[in-house]
Amino acid sequence: MNFALYRELLAVRPIRRLLLVGMVARIPHSAAGVLLTLHIVLSLDQGYAAAGAAAAVMTIGIAVGAPWRGRGVDTVGLRTALIPSVISEAVIWSVVPHVSYQWLLPLVFVGGLLTLPIFSVVRQSLGVLADGDQRRTAFALDAITTEVVFMIGPAAGAIVATSGFTVLGLTIVGVSTSLAGLFLMWFNPPTRSPAQDEECSADERHAAEAAVVSAAPAHLQEAAAELVPAGATHRGPGLRSKVAHNFAWFTATVAAVFAVAAGAGMVLSGTDVGIVAALETGGRQAEIGIVFLFWCAASVVGGLVYGAMHRPVSPILLLLGMAALTIPMGFAHDTWSLAFTAILPGLLCAPVLSSASEKVADLVAEERRGEAMGWYGSALTGGVALGAPLAGVFIDVTGPSGGFVSVGAAGVVLCFAGLILQQRRRGKSPAQ
């Protein structure tokens, strides 16, 4: 292991500044999950299944919007692509705490659809600024700073919510995220290397515009197809061939990494809801920050070790360990036992995310990496969308322990499915 890699990486000013900006920009939304859950449970008198459903709706919105938005960063530039987020974050989250549960659901979907794409932007920019062994260390540092954020955000959100200020807290989330977006636009980190920028010809830009259409929701693709002139086919390849070309980066190996991201999101969101439920049910809401501190601090340690390693570890194996070690959290009986059982799965959290991010950056060419990172984010948030209601249903039926056991077991099953798929592909490769 070479921990000196961290010193060398942080000596690079653009990387250091990008990690700092990314960490600050993530804090508001890291508090939003706890605030939204406790707002629905305490202020709107709904159950944890309803709170999980709201989290699922929001993350589905993120999953739908992330690839399209990521492709927008590739084609129109970061500053232009962030304008919708800067506006919507301030508006949506100022309205959400003042409406009923029925109106809250469509609002959080739109909020997710146009959320500030800070995670994908930071990863995409790190892929440009770092390469080789530095890239593993850079993604590990990104995962570590994310864990530091989740030490601060959920604890602050829990304090605000249990003090009866969920309305104020959710409003602050929107305003502060919007301000973070403005700062990111001013900072404007690179999302493509200078060499790639110079090679981007007019024809490539037209193909990139077609990719935005191909990454958009299906009903928008149909509407766009109607705008293609009848005689346009003589100008070049048809829309179908362009779409196939634009998704050439989406190989089976990339799909496997996306499956890992989905599994990680499912386990993490289910654990998040389980922690809140376990402590709120016992009347210990104020101690939520203690468990998050242990969980996230363990992830920081795990990320530091992984980033200093000379060789990568399969993200499937890392997820398998994290999912299996999440199950014992369901048998904790108080705050401190829950905090200590959170250490082992926490140690693998940052390594899973950094390993998967590194894999995507290695597999996908730079000119398509923004879109790929958008889909990676969609897979992650899609897992979050599944994990939160899955845990919520089991919590309502069997108690807080059911949340940890259900998502942990589901994560293990997903990993074995991925391993079986990999073995089958290896068995077919000689014949191919």
Side-chain angles (χ1 to χ4, degrees), residues 326-421:
T326 297
I327 296 175
M329 293 180 68
F331 303 99
H333 53 82
D334 58 23
T335 301
W336 290 105
S337 61
L338 184 61
F340 284 120
T341 53
I343 292 176
L344 289 178
L347 284 170
L348 296 177
C349 176
V352 168
L353 299 177
S354 58
S355 175
S357 298
E358 178 189 5
K359 196 73 173 176
V360 173
D362 289 341
L363 292 171
V364 181
E366 193 174 282
E367 64 269 17
R368 298 294 184 203
R369 201 173 291 154
E371 184 179 2
M373 285 299 182
W375 282 106
Y376 172 83
S378 292
L380 186 63
T381 52
V384 172
L386 176 62
L390 176 65
V393 168
F394 276 87
I395 288 168
D396 286 344
V397 174
T398 65
S401 62
F404 300 112
V405 175
S406 61
V407 296
V412 170
V413 171
L414 182 62
C415 287
F416 277 112
L419 288 171
I420 291 171
L421 178 63

Side-chain angles (χ1 to χ4, degrees), residues 38-376:
L38 292 178
H39 176 73
I40 292 170
V41 173
L42 300 178
S43 301
L44 301 182
D45 294 323
Q46 303 288 329
Y48 279 96
V57 168
M58 180 174 69
T59 50
I60 288 172
I62 296 173
V64 171
W68 193 18
R69 306 286 311 292
R71 194 60 191 150
V73 172
D74 287 341
T75 55
V76 302
L78 179 64
R79 287 174 171 165
T80 303
L82 291 185
I83 292 175
S85 295
V86 170
I87 297 172
S88 66
E89 291 282 6
V91 174
I92 296 294
W93 290 102
S94 297
V95 176
V96 162
H98 300 283
V99 300
S100 65
Y101 182 75
Q102 289 71 23
W103 283 103
L104 180 145
L105 293 177
L107 282 172
V108 297
F109 174 79
V110 175
L113 190 70
L114 298 174
T115 194
L116 188 72
I118 184 63
F119 287 92
S120 58
V121 168
V122 170
R123 294 187 189 109
Q124 183 180 357
S125 186
L126 284 176
V128 173
L129 294 170
D131 55 15
D133 289 339
Q134 273 196 334
R135 185 172 286 167
R136 181 177 310 116
T137 307
F139 283 125
L141 269 176
D142 177 55
I144 290 166
T145 57
T146 300
E147 295 308 324
V148 172
V149 165
F150 278 93
M151 290 182 192
I152 300 170
I159 293 172
V160 171
T162 54
S163 300
F165 298 110
T166 56
V167 173
L168 177 62
L170 289 170
T171 303
I172 291 175
V173 164
V175 173
S176 55
T177 305
S178 182
L179 291 174
L182 289 172
F183 187 76
L184 194 62
M185 291 170 67
W186 171 79
F187 171 37
N188 194 28
T191 55
R192 178 177 289 193
S193 66
Q196 288 291 333
D197 280 335
E198 292 172 1
E199 293 172 3
C200 186
S201 65
D203 289 339
E204 289 172 324
R205 285 195 293 272
H206 289 313
E209 290 166 3
V212 176
V213 175
S214 70
H219 66 279
L220 293 181
Q221 292 183 39
E222 293 170 1
E226 295 175 359
L227 299 178
V228 179
T233 54
H234 71 276
R235 298 180 184 177
L239 180 60
R240 182 176 299 177
S241 62
K242 285 184 178 180
V243 171
H245 172 73
N246 289 325
F247 277 93
W249 57 266
F250 187 68
T251 63
T253 307
V254 173
V257 179
F258 288 173
V260 170
M266 179 180 63
V267 174
L268 293 175
S269 67
T271 303
D272 195 329
V273 173
I275 291 172
V276 174
L279 297 180
E280 191 276 330
T281 303
R284 300 187 297 273
Q285 303 97 314
E287 298 174 357
I288 289 175
I290 296 175
V291 180
F292 274 99
L293 177 64
F294 275 73
W295 189 30
C296 297
S299 183
V300 169
V301 173
L304 283 170
V305 172
Y306 183 78
M309 294 173 62
H310 294 292
R311 293 183 179 180
V313 180
S314 168
I316 290 182
L317 294 178
L318 291 170
L319 175 60
L320 178 62
M322 185 177 75
L325 292 170
T326 297
I327 296 175
M329 293 180 68
F331 303 99
H333 53 82
D334 58 23
T335 301
W336 290 105
S337 61
L338 184 61
F340 284 120
T341 53
I343 292 176
L344 289 178
L347 284 170
L348 296 177
C349 176
V352 168
L353 299 177
S354 58
S355 175
S357 298
E358 178 189 5
K359 196 73 173 176
V360 173
D362 289 341
L363 292 171
V364 181
E366 193 174 282
E367 64 269 17
R368 298 294 184 203
R369 201 173 291 154
E371 184 179 2
M373 285 299 182
W375 282 106
Y376 172 83

